[in-house]
Amino acid sequence: LLSKCKTMQDLVGCMNPSKEQCYKLNLSCLIDCGYIEFRQHESSKDKTTVTNWIRFCAAFVRNSARLRSPLSLKETTSIEEEFDLLFEYVVKDRALRNFYRCRRDFFEARERERQIKDAESKEQSDEMNII
């Protein structure tokens, strides 16, 4: 889909079809104002988290501008492979890759714990309804 974009307007329309600024990579200001917004990260007071987010965005933009475009990914590429390829070919920073792997693992573990608690709560609720 992106490879069919011939103009900046095509790219903005493809990535942000609505004029709202609700996209994680917001390109809506690119044509009129000449900038993009990274809206992915939640707020944080943690210096390491904020510093690494800034480093990630800077490396992403710098390397995207100076390196050749990576090949399109196959539809069968797993999310883990996409993650690794992003850091290997675009961001090119092992320390950032390791930081975001740890964050990913932390959030995945927290989500699994939440799902287990939700299942246990539902099970208890179902038992209460039987009695």
Short mmCIF file of all heavy atoms in Angstrom, two decimals, residues 14-59:
data_model
loop_
_atom_site.label_atom_id
_atom_site.label_comp_id
_atom_site.label_asym_id
_atom_site.label_seq_id
_atom_site.Cartn_x
_atom_site.Cartn_y
_atom_site.Cartn_z
N CYS A 14 -2.74 7.88 3.09
CA CYS A 14 -2.63 6.44 3.36
C CYS A 14 -2.43 6.17 4.86
O CYS A 14 -3.07 5.29 5.44
CB CYS A 14 -1.47 5.86 2.56
SG CYS A 14 -1.22 4.11 2.80
N MET A 15 -1.54 6.92 5.48
CA MET A 15 -1.19 6.69 6.88
C MET A 15 -2.21 7.29 7.85
O MET A 15 -2.46 6.74 8.91
CB MET A 15 0.20 7.27 7.18
CG MET A 15 1.32 6.57 6.45
SD MET A 15 1.53 4.86 6.95
CE MET A 15 2.05 5.05 8.64
N ASN A 16 -2.78 8.43 7.50
CA ASN A 16 -3.73 9.13 8.37
C ASN A 16 -4.96 9.54 7.56
O ASN A 16 -5.12 10.71 7.22
CB ASN A 16 -3.09 10.38 8.98
CG ASN A 16 -1.84 10.11 9.79
OD1 ASN A 16 -0.92 10.90 9.78
ND2 ASN A 16 -1.77 9.01 10.50
N PRO A 17 -5.83 8.59 7.24
CA PRO A 17 -6.97 8.90 6.38
C PRO A 17 -7.94 9.93 6.96
O PRO A 17 -8.59 10.66 6.23
CB PRO A 17 -7.66 7.56 6.16
CG PRO A 17 -7.06 6.62 7.13
CD PRO A 17 -5.78 7.19 7.61
N SER A 18 -8.02 10.03 8.27
CA SER A 18 -8.86 11.03 8.91
C SER A 18 -8.00 12.25 9.23
O SER A 18 -6.80 12.14 9.44
CB SER A 18 -9.43 10.43 10.21
OG SER A 18 -9.94 11.45 11.03
N LYS A 19 -8.59 13.42 9.27
CA LYS A 19 -7.84 14.65 9.56
C LYS A 19 -7.55 14.80 11.06
O LYS A 19 -6.85 15.71 11.47
CB LYS A 19 -8.60 15.88 9.07
CG LYS A 19 -8.75 15.93 7.57
CD LYS A 19 -7.43 16.19 6.91
CE LYS A 19 -7.60 16.28 5.41
NZ LYS A 19 -6.37 16.16 4.69
N GLU A 20 -8.09 13.93 11.88
CA GLU A 20 -7.88 14.00 13.32
C GLU A 20 -6.43 13.66 13.67
O GLU A 20 -5.75 12.96 12.93
CB GLU A 20 -8.82 13.05 14.04
CG GLU A 20 -10.28 13.38 13.83
CD GLU A 20 -11.20 12.34 14.43
OE1 GLU A 20 -10.80 11.71 15.42
OE2 GLU A 20 -12.30 12.18 13.91
N GLN A 21 -5.98 14.12 14.81
CA GLN A 21 -4.61 13.87 15.27
C GLN A 21 -4.58 12.68 16.23
O GLN A 21 -3.95 12.74 17.28
CB GLN A 21 -4.03 15.10 15.95
CG GLN A 21 -3.87 16.27 15.02
CD GLN A 21 -3.28 17.46 15.73
OE1 GLN A 21 -3.33 17.58 16.93
NE2 GLN A 21 -2.73 18.37 14.96
N CYS A 22 -5.24 11.60 15.88
CA CYS A 22 -5.35 10.47 16.79
C CYS A 22 -4.48 9.29 16.37
O CYS A 22 -4.70 8.18 16.80
CB CYS A 22 -6.81 10.03 16.90
SG CYS A 22 -7.54 9.59 15.32
N TYR A 23 -3.47 9.53 15.57
CA TYR A 23 -2.60 8.46 15.10
C TYR A 23 -1.29 8.45 15.87
O TYR A 23 -0.77 9.50 16.25
CB TYR A 23 -2.32 8.63 13.60
CG TYR A 23 -3.56 8.55 12.77
CD1 TYR A 23 -4.20 9.70 12.34
CD2 TYR A 23 -4.11 7.32 12.44
CE1 TYR A 23 -5.36 9.63 11.59
CE2 TYR A 23 -5.27 7.24 11.68
CZ TYR A 23 -5.88 8.40 11.26
OH TYR A 23 -7.03 8.32 10.53
N LYS A 24 -0.76 7.26 16.10
CA LYS A 24 0.51 7.13 16.82
C LYS A 24 1.64 7.79 16.06
O LYS A 24 2.52 8.39 16.65
CB LYS A 24 0.81 5.66 17.10
CG LYS A 24 -0.18 5.06 18.07
CD LYS A 24 0.08 3.61 18.29
CE LYS A 24 -0.97 3.05 19.24
NZ LYS A 24 -0.75 1.65 19.52
N LEU A 25 1.63 7.67 14.75
CA LEU A 25 2.54 8.41 13.88
C LEU A 25 1.64 9.37 13.11
O LEU A 25 1.00 8.99 12.13
CB LEU A 25 3.31 7.48 12.94
CG LEU A 25 4.21 8.18 11.93
CD1 LEU A 25 5.27 9.04 12.63
CD2 LEU A 25 4.89 7.16 11.02
N ASN A 26 1.57 10.60 13.59
CA ASN A 26 0.65 11.58 13.02
C ASN A 26 1.36 12.37 11.92
O ASN A 26 2.29 13.13 12.19
CB ASN A 26 0.15 12.51 14.12
CG ASN A 26 -0.80 13.55 13.60
OD1 ASN A 26 -1.46 13.35 12.58
ND2 ASN A 26 -0.88 14.68 14.27
N LEU A 27 0.93 12.17 10.68
CA LEU A 27 1.51 12.87 9.54
C LEU A 27 0.64 14.03 9.06
O LEU A 27 0.98 14.68 8.08
CB LEU A 27 1.72 11.90 8.38
CG LEU A 27 2.59 10.68 8.65
CD1 LEU A 27 2.66 9.80 7.41
CD2 LEU A 27 3.97 11.09 9.09
N SER A 28 -0.46 14.30 9.75
CA SER A 28 -1.42 15.29 9.25
C SER A 28 -0.83 16.70 9.11
O SER A 28 -1.30 17.47 8.29
CB SER A 28 -2.67 15.33 10.13
OG SER A 28 -2.35 15.73 11.44
N CYS A 29 0.19 17.04 9.88
CA CYS A 29 0.80 18.37 9.78
C CYS A 29 1.97 18.41 8.80
O CYS A 29 2.58 19.46 8.61
CB CYS A 29 1.29 18.82 11.16
SG CYS A 29 -0.05 19.09 12.32
N LEU A 30 2.29 17.30 8.20
CA LEU A 30 3.47 17.23 7.34
C LEU A 30 3.40 18.18 6.15
O LEU A 30 4.35 18.90 5.86
CB LEU A 30 3.68 15.79 6.86
CG LEU A 30 4.94 15.50 6.08
CD1 LEU A 30 6.18 15.84 6.89
CD2 LEU A 30 4.98 14.03 5.67
N ILE A 31 2.28 18.22 5.48
CA ILE A 31 2.16 19.03 4.28
C ILE A 31 2.08 20.52 4.61
O ILE A 31 2.80 21.34 4.04
CB ILE A 31 0.95 18.58 3.43
CG1 ILE A 31 1.22 17.16 2.93
CG2 ILE A 31 0.69 19.54 2.28
CD1 ILE A 31 0.05 16.49 2.31
N ASP A 32 1.21 20.89 5.55
CA ASP A 32 1.02 22.30 5.87
C ASP A 32 2.14 22.91 6.72
O ASP A 32 2.53 24.05 6.52
CB ASP A 32 -0.32 22.51 6.60
CG ASP A 32 -1.50 22.16 5.72
OD1 ASP A 32 -1.37 22.23 4.48
OD2 ASP A 32 -2.57 21.81 6.27
N CYS A 33 2.66 22.12 7.67
CA CYS A 33 3.61 22.67 8.65
C CYS A 33 5.02 22.09 8.53
O CYS A 33 5.96 22.64 9.10
CB CYS A 33 3.10 22.43 10.06
SG CYS A 33 1.44 23.09 10.33
N GLY A 34 5.16 20.96 7.84
CA GLY A 34 6.48 20.39 7.63
C GLY A 34 7.02 19.54 8.76
O GLY A 34 8.23 19.36 8.88
N TYR A 35 6.17 19.04 9.62
CA TYR A 35 6.65 18.17 10.70
C TYR A 35 5.72 16.98 10.90
O TYR A 35 4.60 16.97 10.41
CB TYR A 35 6.83 18.95 12.01
CG TYR A 35 5.55 19.50 12.61
CD1 TYR A 35 4.74 18.71 13.42
CD2 TYR A 35 5.17 20.81 12.38
CE1 TYR A 35 3.58 19.21 13.98
CE2 TYR A 35 4.01 21.32 12.93
CZ TYR A 35 3.22 20.52 13.73
OH TYR A 35 2.07 21.02 14.27
N ILE A 36 6.22 15.99 11.64
CA ILE A 36 5.42 14.84 12.03
C ILE A 36 5.40 14.76 13.54
O ILE A 36 6.25 15.36 14.22
CB ILE A 36 5.96 13.52 11.43
CG1 ILE A 36 7.37 13.24 11.93
CG2 ILE A 36 5.92 13.57 9.91
CD1 ILE A 36 7.91 11.89 11.49
N GLU A 37 4.43 14.03 14.09
CA GLU A 37 4.34 13.85 15.53
C GLU A 37 4.39 12.36 15.86
O GLU A 37 3.71 11.57 15.22
CB GLU A 37 3.02 14.41 16.07
CG GLU A 37 2.88 15.89 15.98
CD GLU A 37 1.51 16.34 16.47
OE1 GLU A 37 0.49 15.73 16.10
OE2 GLU A 37 1.48 17.33 17.21
N PHE A 38 5.16 12.04 16.88
CA PHE A 38 5.15 10.69 17.45
C PHE A 38 4.28 10.76 18.69
O PHE A 38 4.65 11.39 19.68
CB PHE A 38 6.57 10.25 17.82
CG PHE A 38 7.46 10.04 16.64
CD1 PHE A 38 8.24 11.07 16.14
CD2 PHE A 38 7.51 8.80 16.03
CE1 PHE A 38 9.06 10.86 15.05
CE2 PHE A 38 8.33 8.58 14.94
CZ PHE A 38 9.11 9.62 14.45
N ARG A 39 3.12 10.12 18.68
CA ARG A 39 2.16 10.22 19.76
C ARG A 39 1.99 8.88 20.49
O ARG A 39 1.01 8.65 21.15
CB ARG A 39 0.82 10.68 19.21
CG ARG A 39 0.91 12.01 18.48
CD ARG A 39 -0.42 12.38 17.90
NE ARG A 39 -1.30 12.78 18.96
CZ ARG A 39 -1.72 14.00 19.19
NH1 ARG A 39 -1.34 14.97 18.40
NH2 ARG A 39 -2.53 14.27 20.17
N GLN A 40 2.93 8.00 20.35
CA GLN A 40 2.84 6.64 20.86
C GLN A 40 2.97 6.55 22.38
O GLN A 40 2.27 5.81 23.03
CB GLN A 40 3.93 5.79 20.19
CG GLN A 40 4.12 4.42 20.77
CD GLN A 40 3.04 3.46 20.38
OE1 GLN A 40 2.45 3.62 19.33
NE2 GLN A 40 2.77 2.50 21.20
N HIS A 41 3.91 7.26 22.94
CA HIS A 41 4.33 7.01 24.31
C HIS A 41 3.41 7.67 25.33
O HIS A 41 3.02 8.81 25.18
CB HIS A 41 5.76 7.53 24.50
CG HIS A 41 6.51 6.77 25.53
ND1 HIS A 41 6.27 6.90 26.86
CD2 HIS A 41 7.48 5.87 25.41
CE1 HIS A 41 7.07 6.12 27.53
NE2 HIS A 41 7.82 5.46 26.66
N GLU A 42 3.11 6.92 26.41
CA GLU A 42 2.35 7.51 27.51
C GLU A 42 3.28 8.44 28.30
O GLU A 42 4.49 8.38 28.17
CB GLU A 42 1.77 6.43 28.42
CG GLU A 42 2.79 5.75 29.32
CD GLU A 42 3.38 4.47 28.74
OE1 GLU A 42 2.94 4.04 27.67
OE2 GLU A 42 4.28 3.93 29.37
N SER A 43 2.69 9.28 29.14
CA SER A 43 3.52 10.19 29.93
C SER A 43 4.34 9.40 30.94
O SER A 43 3.95 8.31 31.37
CB SER A 43 2.65 11.22 30.63
OG SER A 43 1.77 10.58 31.52
N SER A 44 5.50 9.95 31.29
CA SER A 44 6.38 9.27 32.23
C SER A 44 7.26 10.29 32.93
O SER A 44 7.65 11.29 32.35
CB SER A 44 7.27 8.26 31.49
OG SER A 44 8.17 7.65 32.38
N LYS A 45 7.58 10.00 34.20
CA LYS A 45 8.53 10.81 34.95
C LYS A 45 9.88 10.10 35.05
O LYS A 45 10.82 10.64 35.61
CB LYS A 45 8.01 11.07 36.36
CG LYS A 45 6.79 11.97 36.39
CD LYS A 45 6.34 12.21 37.81
CE LYS A 45 5.12 13.11 37.84
NZ LYS A 45 4.67 13.35 39.21
N ASP A 46 9.96 8.91 34.47
CA ASP A 46 11.18 8.12 34.53
C ASP A 46 12.18 8.61 33.49
O ASP A 46 11.91 8.58 32.28
CB ASP A 46 10.86 6.63 34.29
CG ASP A 46 12.09 5.77 34.38
OD1 ASP A 46 12.59 5.57 35.49
OD2 ASP A 46 12.56 5.31 33.32
N LYS A 47 13.33 9.07 33.96
CA LYS A 47 14.34 9.67 33.08
C LYS A 47 14.80 8.69 32.00
O LYS A 47 14.94 9.07 30.83
CB LYS A 47 15.53 10.12 33.93
CG LYS A 47 16.67 10.70 33.16
CD LYS A 47 17.83 11.05 34.08
CE LYS A 47 19.06 11.34 33.27
NZ LYS A 47 20.23 11.49 34.11
N THR A 48 15.04 7.44 32.36
CA THR A 48 15.51 6.45 31.39
C THR A 48 14.48 6.19 30.31
O THR A 48 14.80 6.13 29.12
CB THR A 48 15.88 5.13 32.12
OG1 THR A 48 16.85 5.41 33.12
CG2 THR A 48 16.41 4.10 31.15
N THR A 49 13.23 6.07 30.71
CA THR A 49 12.15 5.82 29.75
C THR A 49 12.02 6.99 28.77
O THR A 49 11.95 6.77 27.56
CB THR A 49 10.82 5.61 30.50
OG1 THR A 49 10.97 4.47 31.35
CG2 THR A 49 9.66 5.38 29.55
N VAL A 50 12.02 8.20 29.28
CA VAL A 50 11.88 9.39 28.43
C VAL A 50 13.10 9.53 27.51
O VAL A 50 12.96 9.78 26.31
CB VAL A 50 11.67 10.65 29.29
CG1 VAL A 50 11.70 11.91 28.44
CG2 VAL A 50 10.35 10.55 30.05
N THR A 51 14.29 9.36 28.07
CA THR A 51 15.51 9.48 27.28
C THR A 51 15.53 8.45 26.14
O THR A 51 15.87 8.78 25.00
CB THR A 51 16.75 9.30 28.18
OG1 THR A 51 16.73 10.31 29.18
CG2 THR A 51 18.04 9.40 27.38
N ASN A 52 15.15 7.22 26.45
CA ASN A 52 15.16 6.19 25.42
C ASN A 52 14.09 6.44 24.36
O ASN A 52 14.30 6.12 23.18
CB ASN A 52 15.02 4.80 26.04
CG ASN A 52 16.33 4.34 26.62
OD1 ASN A 52 17.39 4.61 26.10
ND2 ASN A 52 16.25 3.63 27.73
N TRP A 53 12.96 7.01 24.73
CA TRP A 53 11.94 7.35 23.73
C TRP A 53 12.46 8.43 22.78
O TRP A 53 12.30 8.34 21.56
CB TRP A 53 10.65 7.80 24.40
CG TRP A 53 9.60 8.22 23.43
CD1 TRP A 53 9.04 9.44 23.30
CD2 TRP A 53 8.98 7.40 22.42
NE1 TRP A 53 8.11 9.45 22.27
CE2 TRP A 53 8.06 8.20 21.72
CE3 TRP A 53 9.12 6.06 22.04
CZ2 TRP A 53 7.29 7.72 20.67
CZ3 TRP A 53 8.35 5.59 20.98
CH2 TRP A 53 7.44 6.41 20.32
N ILE A 54 13.14 9.43 23.33
CA ILE A 54 13.72 10.49 22.50
C ILE A 54 14.79 9.90 21.59
O ILE A 54 14.84 10.20 20.38
CB ILE A 54 14.29 11.62 23.38
CG1 ILE A 54 13.15 12.34 24.11
CG2 ILE A 54 15.12 12.60 22.55
CD1 ILE A 54 13.59 13.25 25.23
N ARG A 55 15.64 9.05 22.14
CA ARG A 55 16.69 8.41 21.32
C ARG A 55 16.08 7.56 20.22
O ARG A 55 16.57 7.55 19.07
CB ARG A 55 17.59 7.54 22.21
CG ARG A 55 18.54 8.34 23.07
CD ARG A 55 19.42 7.48 23.95
NE ARG A 55 20.10 6.47 23.17
CZ ARG A 55 20.38 5.24 23.63
NH1 ARG A 55 20.03 4.87 24.84
NH2 ARG A 55 21.02 4.38 22.87
N PHE A 56 15.00 6.82 20.54
CA PHE A 56 14.33 5.99 19.53
C PHE A 56 13.79 6.86 18.40
O PHE A 56 14.04 6.57 17.22
CB PHE A 56 13.20 5.17 20.17
CG PHE A 56 12.38 4.43 19.15
CD1 PHE A 56 12.78 3.18 18.71
CD2 PHE A 56 11.24 4.99 18.61
CE1 PHE A 56 12.04 2.49 17.75
CE2 PHE A 56 10.50 4.32 17.65
CZ PHE A 56 10.90 3.07 17.22
N CYS A 57 13.04 7.90 18.74
CA CYS A 57 12.45 8.77 17.70
C CYS A 57 13.54 9.42 16.84
O CYS A 57 13.42 9.47 15.62
CB CYS A 57 11.58 9.85 18.34
SG CYS A 57 10.07 9.21 19.10
N ALA A 58 14.60 9.91 17.50
CA ALA A 58 15.69 10.55 16.75
C ALA A 58 16.37 9.56 15.81
O ALA A 58 16.63 9.88 14.64
CB ALA A 58 16.70 11.16 17.72
N ALA A 59 16.67 8.36 16.30
CA ALA A 59 17.32 7.34 15.45
C ALA A 59 16.40 6.92 14.31
O ALA A 59 16.84 6.75 13.17
CB ALA A 59 17.73 6.13 16.29
#
